[in-house]
Amino acid sequence: MNYLTNKYLNTKGYIWLAFIICSILFVTFPQIDIFITNLFYDGKNFPLNNTIAEGIFYYSVKPLILTFSAVSLILFIYNFITKKQIFNLGVKTMIYILLILTIAPGLVVNTTLKDNWGRARPKQIKEFGGNKNFTPAFIPSNQGGYSFSSGHAAAAFSLIGFALLAKRRQNLWLGIAITYGICVSVARMAAGGHFLSDVVTSFFIVWIFTHLFYKLIFKEEI
């Protein structure tokens, strides 16, 4: 398994193994989601919802992604016109950026899963003051919700793709990107917007697709 994932997907076998194990756990023991969500619930509300800290992480995702995208596009145009190679932002890099921002967080998470799975959000289910039924992760639901998986978490974790472009201190930038994604994920759970399985699934989807695109575009191992 490790050979196949390294050779063809540029993703370590343990990442796939971790994803599979987490998926099985969330389906087999769905009460994990209830238990974790209950840590943010005081019996009536989600106290951290609409707080300054929660708002910062919730509303920062879109501006950050737009800023990174705009700066990349501007530098690409500048490099193209002047024939320079600032940050090596050429055609290949722009294709890679386009793919990491649209396929995993856009097509897979939001369009395929979030818009069609129907899973109710934590604050919508009966266990946390709502009127909808709880359903496990990965199981299509008729509750008309948009919980699985997390679009905000996927977008935040997509910054991993930019971190991989760093030629120096890549591990540092990768750590910052992952930390930011975790903070956004915790903020969404604290607000009653997503379950643990929602954000964990988004992380693995983004990580796997990002590394796949990196290898396909740059023909390099990470």
Side-chain angles (χ1 to χ4, degrees):
M1 179 178 180
N2 195 56
Y3 170 78
L4 292 176
T5 54
N6 281 343
K7 182 175 178 61
Y8 298 106
L9 298 178
N10 199 30
T11 302
K12 302 298 182 181
Y14 64 80
I15 293 295
W16 281 97
L17 181 61
F19 186 23
I20 293 171
I21 290 175
C22 285
S23 301
I24 293 174
L25 285 175
F26 285 129
V27 173
T28 307
F29 305 102
Q31 59 268 32
I32 292 174
D33 275 332
I34 299 295
F35 174 79
I36 297 299
T37 300
N38 199 50
L39 298 178
F40 301 103
Y41 188 66
D42 66 0
K44 294 182 179 180
N45 301 292
F46 289 91
L48 296 179
N49 188 26
N50 294 323
T51 58
I52 295 177
E54 187 272 333
I56 288 175
F57 288 114
Y58 180 83
Y59 291 107
S60 65
V61 177
K62 187 175 182 178
L64 269 179
I65 297 298
L66 290 176
T67 298
F68 273 91
S69 301
V71 171
S72 298
L73 180 59
I74 291 172
L75 288 176
F76 167 72
I77 295 174
Y78 177 79
N79 287 345
F80 181 79
I81 294 174
T82 63
K83 306 301 181 182
K84 294 185 178 181
Q85 289 297 317
I86 298 178
F87 296 129
N88 291 316
L89 272 166
V91 175
K92 282 187 175 182
T93 304
M94 287 308 299
I95 292 176
Y96 166 75
I97 291 174
L98 179 63
L99 288 173
I100 64 173
L101 293 180
T102 58
I103 302 301
L107 181 61
V108 178
V109 171
N110 280 291
T111 303
T112 302
L113 296 178
K114 191 181 183 73
D115 289 348
N116 295 288
W117 238 244
R119 189 187 199 190
R121 300 181 185 277
K123 60 185 176 184
Q124 294 177 317
I125 66 174
K126 297 173 182 177
E127 288 84 345
F128 301 108
N131 56 12
K132 295 182 180 295
N133 295 320
F134 169 76
T135 52
F138 299 99
I139 307 300
S141 169
N142 62 355
Q143 296 303 297
Y146 298 92
S147 188
F148 186 80
S149 59
S150 173
H152 265 77
F157 282 122
S158 68
L159 293 178
I160 290 172
F162 289 94
L164 293 179
L165 292 174
K167 298 303 180 182
R168 295 181 179 179
R169 298 182 178 180
Q170 186 185 87
N171 288 336
L172 171 63
W173 295 114
L174 190 58
I176 291 175
I178 293 175
T179 299
Y180 176 69
I182 292 174
C183 288
V184 171
S185 299
V186 173
R188 297 302 294 131
M189 291 190 291
H194 285 288
F195 295 103
L196 176 64
S197 57
D198 298 329
V199 299
V200 168
T201 299
S202 289
F203 164 75
F204 279 115
I205 289 174
V206 170
W207 180 275
I208 290 171
F209 273 94
T210 298
H211 283 67
L212 171 61
F213 292 139
Y214 189 94
K215 182 170 186 178
L216 289 175
I217 299 297
F218 301 110
K219 309 298 182 183
E220 297 176 8
E221 300 287 347
I222 301 176

